[in-house]
Amino acid sequence: QTSLSIWGWGSLGVVLFLVTFGPFAIFYFAFYILCFVGGGFVVTLLFGKSNSEKYLEQCEHSFLPCTSVGIPKCIEEMKREGRPIKIDRRLTGANIIDEPLQQVIQFSLRDYVQYWYYTLSDDESFLLEIRQALQYALVQFSARSKETDWQPYFTTRLVDDFGTHLRVFRKAQQRIAEKGDQMKDQAEELVDTFFEVEVEMEREVCRDLVCTSPKDEEGFLRDLCEVLLYILLPPGDFQNKIMRYFVREILSRGILLPLINQLSDPDYINQYVIWMIRDSNCNYEAFMNIIKLSDNIGELEAVKDKASEELQYLRSLDTAGDDINTIKNQINSLLYVIKVCDSRIQRLQSGKEIDTVKLAANFGKLCTVPLDHILVDNVALQFFMDYMQQAGGQAHLFFWMTVEGYRVTAQQQLEVLQSRQKDGKHQTNQTKGLLRAAAFGVYEQYLSEKASPRVNIDDNLVAKLAETLNHEDPTPEIFDDIQRKVYELMLRDERFYPSFKQNVLYVRMLAELDMLKDPSFRGSDDGEGESFNGSPTGSINLSLDDLSNVPSDETVQLHAYISDTGKCFD
């Protein structure tokens, strides 16, 4: 019904519309609608065109220049002359350092960037951005370096690491020597034994992969460079992965890896040592100590051959007058060097170095070398230092040696200050400031709460020293009380000097000083052993007290001999 009603009403409406307006009313109605829509479109178009023309006129009279577009614009930009680029060459603030660094930057860009970049473009802006990034990194590195306290690192940590490396190497050599001829490849066995000893001594640290595998070494250097770039580069440049990887590869493979390979080359090390000592004469005592302490037969034979060649040359000279005395002295010196080398080679070949303890057992009582003599003798001090490292008392020994150096330096500075004051020159504050800085450095390194390792001494003495440093001018004797306590601790503590005299290193020290007595001169059972008066000879040294105990009616015979001759100028 609903549908029928809708159709009915609709039909009625259509019939009425046709009766009223005629049959063509539908076409007229459609035409009227079309005209209305078309008129509205035309009006809108004309209005928009007029507004657009007005806006364009305003833009033509505005401050923005009329720019070209597309390829002509690119050609115009490329034809423009390059503006001169100004670069700030300051990096660290010191011209003597900045200029070599600028040369390094220039050579790095030339060797790693320019040779391929100039085949792509002549625009210098890319090179400028790289240079500015490198300079920013160097400035950051310089600023952070100035904030770091390098004195503890170079005087303690670096020295300890180097000493630990040498001790590990020597211990590995000892293990190799104990195995004898059981090894097929001694070089590989030495490397494996070295890292085994390193794990035993440093427990949680082993660098075998980094040192033996080129792939792992490169990976470690990349990670190291990644950390450095994170610290030194601006955040925007570090987030740029292409640039970060690019600079990382240059640093790791182009700079650090070749530098490490060069520093690890034995020939380069030898040439560098020769270059450093070329202009300085080797000290006689140091040279002879090196020969006496050497355990390499090849080195000793090389020194012996060189001395023999020089000896033959001197003997071939035809001289007269005063020159003949000089040549005789040189010949005698070379003969003595050859004799020492032969003696050392014979001892090494006979295995006396390994059987030192057994040899000492046959000698009975050993010669007693006082601690004060050990501390001033280079050879003895080296053995005592190795023992103190093993016993964990290296901080006490290093403190004693550092204070000795401070005292000498302070005395020299004060003498120079007094002489300048007599001449009318005033630098009192500067000299005292340097001495105060040196004294504070010693205190912070060995006695403060932050010191590692720290010298364990009476807290009252340390507090008194700190009070003196804060309120008084430093003097050469400012550390004397604590140094005296440290000396007594090393002398009387069973961990240090008393135990050192019972250690194998003490016996080896006596052997190096030629103080292992012959069994025919063995002391009595109730004696305390022979004492050392400062002369490293093999004779028994009698003191004045021993001579005073001899009855007056008995004849006393004293025997003496010349153990060594030489000529020196002081």
Side-chain angles (χ1 to χ4, degrees):
Q1 293 178 356
T2 303
S3 60
L4 290 176
S5 62
I6 292 174
W7 281 104
W9 285 106
S11 300
L12 180 62
V14 172
V15 171
L16 293 175
F17 178 81
L18 293 176
V19 172
T20 305
F21 297 102
F24 297 99
I26 297 176
F27 299 102
Y28 294 145
F29 184 72
F31 177 74
Y32 292 154
I33 293 176
L34 180 64
C35 290
F36 177 79
V37 174
F41 178 77
V42 171
V43 171
T44 304
L45 179 63
L46 294 176
F47 180 77
K49 180 180 179 181
S50 61
N51 286 342
S52 299
E53 290 177 352
K54 292 180 182 179
Y55 180 75
L56 291 176
E57 290 179 359
Q58 293 178 358
C59 292
E60 289 178 357
H61 298 289
S62 64
F63 62 89
L64 294 175
C66 182
T67 59
S68 58
V69 294
I71 296 178
K73 176 63 177 177
C74 296
I75 296 176
E76 182 182 354
E77 291 291 337
M78 295 173 65
K79 289 182 179 179
R80 286 183 180 181
E81 296 182 359
R83 298 178 181 178
I85 300 175
K86 295 182 179 180
I87 300 176
D88 188 1
R89 304 182 66 85
R90 294 174 298 176
L91 297 175
T92 64
N95 187 51
I96 193 174
I97 301 177
D98 292 347
E99 288 303 322
L101 286 178
Q102 289 291 347
Q103 292 181 2
V104 171
I105 295 175
Q106 183 64 34
F107 293 154
S108 300
L109 292 176
R110 182 196 65 186
D111 296 338
Y112 298 104
V113 180
Q114 292 179 358
Y115 80 95
W116 61 264
Y117 177 72
Y118 281 143
T119 61
L120 303 177
S121 174
D122 295 331
D123 189 9
E124 300 286 342
S125 59
F126 176 71
L127 300 177
L128 177 62
E129 290 292 334
I130 294 181
R131 191 184 190 97
Q132 288 179 344
L134 290 175
Q135 292 191 170
Y136 179 86
L138 290 175
V139 170
Q140 290 294 108
F141 181 80
S142 174
R144 287 178 171 267
S145 299
K146 293 176 182 178
E147 297 174 357
T148 305
D149 188 6
W150 293 104
Q151 181 179 352
Y153 175 76
F154 284 112
T155 58
T156 303
R157 183 175 177 181
L158 183 62
V159 176
D160 291 345
D161 291 342
F162 186 72
T164 302
H165 177 80
L166 292 180
R167 286 192 296 274
V168 172
F169 181 73
R170 291 172 182 171
K171 197 169 182 180
Q173 283 185 322
Q174 292 177 1
R175 291 192 181 181
I176 294 296
E178 293 173 358
K179 293 181 181 179
D181 300 332
Q182 301 175 1
M183 300 164 300
K184 297 180 179 180
D185 193 343
Q186 187 172 0
E188 293 185 0
E189 185 68 23
L190 178 61
V191 173
D192 296 338
T193 306
F194 177 86
F195 290 110
E196 290 176 2
V197 175
E198 183 185 37
V199 173
E200 294 176 2
M201 294 188 65
E202 300 193 20
R203 297 179 183 178
E204 298 180 357
V205 178
C206 185
R207 307 174 181 87
D208 53 348
L209 291 178
V210 176
C211 297
T212 58
S213 173
K215 183 178 180 181
D216 292 324
E217 181 183 8
E218 292 178 4
F220 174 77
L221 292 178
R222 288 193 185 98
D223 295 339
L224 177 62
C225 294
E226 194 91 10
V227 175
L228 291 176
L229 293 177
Y230 175 76
I231 297 174
L232 301 177
L233 286 181
D237 292 337
F238 182 79
Q239 297 299 329
N240 187 346
K241 291 186 177 181
I242 297 178
M243 176 182 176
R244 186 170 80 241
Y245 295 159
F246 185 77
V247 177
R248 185 191 67 182
E249 292 300 315
I250 291 178
L251 289 177
S252 61
R253 298 178 59 87
I255 298 178
L256 292 181
L257 189 60
L259 178 63
I260 293 174
N261 293 334
Q262 186 176 17
L263 294 178
S264 304
D265 185 10
D267 182 66
Y268 173 79
I269 297 175
N270 293 333
Q271 294 293 337
Y272 192 75
V273 171
I274 293 172
W275 174 77
M276 287 193 297
I277 66 175
R278 182 175 298 171
D279 298 332
S280 60
N281 296 324
C282 182
N283 181 274
Y284 167 78
E285 180 183 359
F287 179 70
M288 297 308 300
N289 285 337
I290 291 174
I291 295 178
K292 293 178 180 179
L293 292 174
S294 177
D295 56 357
N296 192 322
I297 297 179
E299 292 179 355
L300 294 171
E301 291 179 347
V303 174
K304 178 184 174 182
D305 294 341
K306 193 68 177 178
S308 300
E309 292 178 4
E310 187 69 17
L311 184 62
Q312 293 178 0
Y313 170 74
L314 292 176
R315 285 175 173 173
S316 65
L317 295 178
D318 185 11
T319 58
D322 296 336
D323 293 340
I324 192 171
N325 295 326
T326 303
I327 292 179
K328 285 183 178 180
N329 291 333
Q330 293 177 357
I331 290 175
N332 291 332
S333 298
L334 291 173
L335 289 173
Y336 178 70
V337 171
I338 294 174
K339 180 181 178 181
V340 173
C341 290
D342 288 335
S343 175
R344 184 67 180 170
I345 292 173
Q346 184 178 3
R347 291 178 61 183
L348 291 174
Q349 291 178 344
S350 62
K352 187 176 180 181
E353 296 299 317
I354 301 176
D355 298 333
T356 306
V357 179
K358 297 180 180 179
L359 187 64
N362 296 330
F363 284 164
K365 296 293 183 179
L366 296 175
C367 179
T368 301
V369 183
L371 179 59
D372 54 349
H373 287 89
I374 292 177
L375 294 176
V376 298
D377 186 89
N378 293 333
V379 177
L381 181 60
Q382 182 62 45
F383 286 95
F384 186 61
M385 189 179 300
D386 291 340
Y387 173 77
M388 292 294 283
Q389 292 276 3
Q390 297 177 5
Q394 66 272 18
H396 299 79
L397 180 58
F398 291 160
F399 171 76
W400 189 92
M401 297 169 63
T402 304
V403 171
E404 285 293 309
Y406 167 80
R407 181 186 296 107
V408 174
T409 303
Q411 290 175 351
Q412 293 176 352
Q413 292 290 335
L414 292 178
E415 289 175 359
V416 172
L417 178 61
Q418 292 176 359
S419 63
R420 289 185 176 180
Q421 286 179 346
K422 292 180 181 178
D423 297 337
K425 300 178 181 179
H426 300 284
Q427 290 184 341
T428 305
N429 295 331
Q430 182 179 2
T431 302
K432 291 182 178 180
L434 293 175
L435 292 179
R436 184 181 297 277
F440 267 106
V442 176
Y443 174 81
E444 291 291 336
Q445 185 176 352
Y446 294 103
L447 301 174
S448 66
E449 295 294 336
K450 300 179 181 179
S452 178
R454 184 174 183 267
V455 175
N456 295 322
I457 205 68
D458 188 4
D459 294 337
N460 294 329
L461 290 176
V462 177
K464 182 179 178 181
L465 174 63
E467 186 72 17
T468 304
L469 289 174
N470 291 325
H471 298 89
E472 298 180 10
D473 293 332
T475 61
E477 300 81 14
I478 193 171
F479 293 101
D480 283 1
D481 293 339
I482 297 182
Q483 187 190 28
R484 194 177 302 109
K485 289 290 184 181
V486 170
Y487 177 83
E488 293 177 358
L489 180 64
M490 291 190 298
L491 179 64
R492 305 186 186 283
D493 196 320
E494 289 295 331
R495 297 174 299 167
F496 303 141
Y497 177 68
S499 297
F500 173 63
K501 292 191 295 183
Q502 308 297 327
N503 192 272
V504 64
L505 291 174
Y506 183 78
V507 181
R508 291 179 180 175
M509 180 194 73
L510 296 179
E512 296 299 336
L513 296 174
D514 293 332
M515 295 178 62
L516 285 179
K517 302 172 296 184
D518 190 86
S520 60
F521 294 105
R522 185 180 303 173
S524 60
D525 295 337
D526 57 350
E528 293 295 333
E530 306 300 338
S531 62
F532 175 57
N533 66 350
S535 302
T537 63
S539 62
I540 294 181
N541 304 298
L542 295 177
S543 64
L544 294 177
D545 294 333
D546 297 329
L547 294 178
S548 63
N549 294 330
V550 178
S552 59
D553 55 347
E554 293 185 6
T555 303
V556 178
Q557 292 184 353
L558 299 179
H559 300 275
Y561 69 97
I562 299 175
S563 62
D564 192 10
T565 60
K567 183 168 64 174
C568 65
F569 299 94
D570 189 1

